[in-house]
Amino acid sequence: MADTLIAENPRLIEILDRLSSKSIEDYYNPYQMFEWPDALPEDMWWMSPELTTTYGTEVAEEFTEEQLLRLSKFESVNFYSLNVHGIRELLIEVTQRIHTDDFARPSEFFHHFIGEENEHMWFFAEFCQRYGKKIYKQLRGGAETVPPGNAASLLVFARILIFEELVDHFNLRMADDERLNETIRHINRIHHQDESRHIAFGRELVKVLFEAFRARATAQELTAVSDYLKRYLTYSFETLYNPQVYRDAGLDKPLEIRRRLLEGPRRREFEAQVYRKTLPYLTRTGLIQDGPVGERAAR
């Protein structure tokens, strides 16, 4: 039973207690905290240029600076849209586990987690609707449903961790980027403050769940988990490349642009940067059996 493993892990219990207390100490009311200007400047970056999908590519050389600034606006809206979708999915999964026998001990922290993530979803959606007039739909692809069985909770929390670490890579960069409007910096700064707690908990929980799973798993089951997470890593990264973004930015042949970017040489470098903490962790714990940092995950 997962809850027994959690209760018998002093490090995880200490993390749970410390992070629950920190959530209370750092609590803020997002509905009062944020001041939303009527509009954000169009003649500046909406996302750190190094984080945009065209940065450092031949594709970017084909556009003017004005076009790239406009593209950064819609890439920004897409990024926050991904947050809305990802948070909705993790809220469903965590809510299904709170106050169950397997997760009785972390349930107090889950209450803080659910509350904070719900507020994150609100301010990301608010940004998208105010300044992009839309929330982009999720791209179809490799984010298949978590299969039932002994690995179900492990895969759920591993997916949550991957999603949070991907997002936090962007948050950290944009929170301190003086080229961005303060509203954008503030959103990323606040989100990172909460996500750092969630990531600390997620890393320790995933490690405990995987050690228990590995003790009884067959080689075939371990490979299945590894392959599943590789597909999820690839899918999550590729959602950053949304052809609707390129279309809304006024760029011709958006599907062709996406194909060129995903197949181009910069993609591997960018993916390695985004997962520079995540992939080593997953490989070190044994969740990912092979595939060095920067290598395109198996489909």
Side-chain angles (χ1 to χ4, degrees), residues 18-64:
R18 174 166 50 84
L19 296 182
S20 293
S21 297
K22 190 67 174 171
S23 291
I24 296 171
E25 294 171 9
D26 291 346
Y27 179 75
Y28 59 90
N29 187 333
Y31 308 104
Q32 297 175 337
M33 170 176 284
F34 290 100
E35 295 182 4
W36 302 102
D38 292 337
L40 298 182
E42 298 283 345
D43 59 347
M44 65 184 300
W45 295 103
W46 286 51
M47 173 181 277
S48 300
E50 297 82 5
L51 298 176
T52 59
T53 58
T54 58
Y55 179 79
T57 68
E58 292 182 353
V59 173
E61 296 175 0
E62 300 170 6
F63 305 126
T64 65

